[in-house]
Amino acid sequence: TITITSTPTPTPSPTPTPEIQIEEHIEEPVEPSPIETGLDYILDGLKEERKKLYADFTDEELNLLFLVVEAEVTGGDIESKSHVASVIFNRLKAGWHDGDLTENLMAQRQFKVVTNGRYKKMEITEDTVIACELAYVHDTAQGALFFDSTNGKSWAARNLEFIFRDRVGHDFYK
């Protein structure tokens, strides 16, 4: 027979713990932009105009547009996405690449997310579609033809007029 006896394990003496000071960090809520505040009103008022986007471009073109905007402003708000889409539409209006949406999006060295293929890995969100619809009927980028996120270290920053910086850190230029 096997007999098991238990020996009491010694209770370890408590180790002194260093005093830890925990600072409570409270983030201030980000105020919604004027576009986001009145978005439902704006979108309802522009229902018919928004439909023109789908009449003016093919599904393939729109899918590419949505993917590029999604990749450029992943996780960003509708306003920031609409600024990027506005730049694309402003370029079309200015006649870049004969006003061809696909040519504008696929042009060399224009969109980093196209150059590195990141746009192909995106899932299009409803916010991105809404932002593109909004940008199609209302230029939220104040006529900008360029944007970047280089903090002033780009050709555009050195050669063009700075207009504004959006919430995700894109600078916009004319």
Side-chain angles (χ1 to χ4, degrees), residues 28-148:
E28 291 294 320
V30 176
E31 288 295 316
S33 71
I35 287 177
E36 292 169 326
T37 302
L39 188 61
D40 290 337
Y41 173 77
I42 292 168
L43 293 176
D44 284 345
L46 300 173
K47 250 181 212 169
E48 290 306 309
E49 290 88 347
R50 289 169 52 210
K51 288 180 187 177
K52 293 177 186 173
L53 176 67
Y54 299 93
D56 289 346
F57 299 102
T58 66
D59 289 346
E60 293 79 21
E61 290 172 314
L62 291 173
N63 189 56
L64 180 59
L65 170 69
F66 298 152
L67 288 169
V68 169
V69 171
E70 189 73 52
E72 285 288 351
V73 198
T74 305
D77 55 25
I78 289 175
E79 184 176 27
S80 298
K81 290 178 180 186
S82 70
H83 295 329
V84 168
S86 286
V87 166
I88 295 165
F89 292 129
N90 289 343
R91 290 177 176 186
L92 291 176
K93 291 174 194 164
W96 286 32
H97 301 283
D98 296 323
D100 183 280
L101 179 59
T102 301
E103 297 263 337
N104 271 283
L105 293 169
M106 301 307 286
Q108 287 187 337
R109 297 187 319 255
Q110 292 302 307
F111 297 98
K112 184 177 182 178
V113 299
V114 170
T115 303
N116 67 19
R118 185 169 178 272
Y119 77 101
K120 295 176 185 177
K121 300 171 186 159
M122 294 290 103
E123 286 190 34
I124 300 165
T125 63
E126 182 180 4
D127 280 0
T128 296
V129 174
I130 291 169
C132 291
E133 292 173 348
L134 177 60
Y136 188 68
V137 297
H138 177 72
D139 175 12
T140 64
Q142 303 171 33
L145 293 171
F146 296 89
F147 71 93
D148 64 32

